[in-house]
Amino acid sequence: EEVDREAIFDSLGLLYRGEYIVLFAGKLAAFKGVDTLLRVARRYERLAEREIITLIAGDGEERERLSELHKQLGLRNTFFLGNQKQDELRRLYNAADVFVMPSRREPFGLVALEAMACGRPVLATRSGGMPEYLDGSQAVLVDRDGNVAGQLSFAIRMLYEHPDLRAQMSTAGAKTAQRYSSARFYDDFVRIVYDFGGHLWNSPSSV
């Protein structure tokens, strides 16, 4: 989906001048690892002036601490957007170049699928359920026990410098997201309930 990046940035009170856009969306909680993303942003912001913009959509209990870290790191091209409605979030997915999930743990990572459905390559930590549906074709997965900030920074720069690779990952990601449509989730849920819990509904003790 084509989007008017200038119009989107204008609605956010920001100026867009053709930069590469890194997006995070989710709750600002410690397990989401947004502090890691801020340190990653510090790395690439030092390399060039306003070449890459980082957008952080969401709110939560870590907002104040993250804002203080943002100030300490001297970030100039990284912006907190607060909570976004679903239609606004979809516009952000479509406007971004890459979607980043630096989670310390992540049960499933639904927002990664939402970003992939919009054709965004995903950079994420190898945590929780994400490795079950993400692989090297549509995502870059980094190990949490390694230098996460360094690995994510390298991956962001790599995709920035190789638009052909971004395009390949976008296509693969969209196909993966289609396999995990809402209909697929519903069918799997019904099957699990039937297989593991359905017999309880017919037992006298369940009435």
Side-chain angles (χ1 to χ4, degrees):
E1 180 183 338
E2 290 296 323
V3 294
D4 186 338
R5 289 183 171 187
E6 290 186 6
I8 292 173
F9 270 62
D10 185 60
S11 70
L12 296 169
L14 303 174
L15 181 65
Y16 181 67
R17 295 183 295 201
E19 297 88 352
Y20 180 81
I21 301 172
V22 174
L23 174 67
F24 166 89
K27 185 178 181 181
L28 301 188
F31 76 91
K32 288 290 187 178
V34 181
D35 56 315
T36 299
L37 178 56
L38 295 182
R39 291 185 173 90
V40 171
R42 175 58 177 152
R43 289 173 179 243
Y44 53 70
E45 284 194 13
R46 291 171 64 183
L47 294 175
E49 177 62 28
R50 206 171 169 87
E51 210 171 59
I52 300 174
I53 284 182
T54 309
L55 301 179
I56 299 172
D59 210 342
E61 64 268 18
E62 288 284 292
R63 174 63 185 268
E64 187 175 338
R65 189 177 76 87
L66 291 169
S67 295
E68 182 60 31
L69 179 59
H70 180 282
K71 182 179 179 181
Q72 291 173 5
L73 294 173
L75 298 173
R76 292 171 293 178
N77 305 321
T78 299
F79 304 96
F80 292 98
L81 307 181
N83 284 327
Q84 300 289 311
K85 295 179 180 178
Q86 192 60 37
D87 58 338
E88 296 166 339
L89 194 55
R90 190 175 301 111
R91 292 174 69 212
L92 288 171
Y93 286 138
N94 282 290
D97 288 294
V98 296
F99 184 78
V100 180
M101 289 190 69
S103 307
R104 292 181 169 84
R105 55 182 173 81
E106 191 66 55
F108 185 80
L110 182 59
V111 287
L113 278 176
E114 292 176 349
M116 286 159 53
C118 294
R120 300 310 101 190
V122 171
L123 308 181
T125 50
R126 195 181 302 277
S127 62
M130 288 191 293
E132 295 181 13
Y133 65 90
L134 293 179
D135 58 44
S137 67
Q138 78 291 76
V140 176
L141 294 176
V142 304
D143 292 321
R144 277 272 9 149
D145 56 357
N147 179 3
V148 178
Q151 292 177 78
L152 287 176
S153 180
F154 175 81
I156 287 169
R157 294 291 305 186
M158 177 183 67
L159 290 178
Y160 171 69
E161 294 168 359
H162 295 89
D164 54 337
L165 178 58
R166 281 206 315 274
Q168 292 171 19
M169 292 175 68
S170 295
T171 300
K175 290 180 179 178
T176 298
Q178 286 177 354
R179 297 202 305 269
Y180 284 87
S181 65
S182 57
R184 171 73 177 271
F185 278 127
Y186 178 77
D187 289 345
D188 286 351
F189 174 75
V190 170
R191 178 183 54 76
I192 291 169
V193 169
Y194 180 80
D195 289 347
F196 298 101
H199 68 282
L200 295 176
W201 297 339
N202 297 319
S203 66
S205 60
S206 65
V207 177

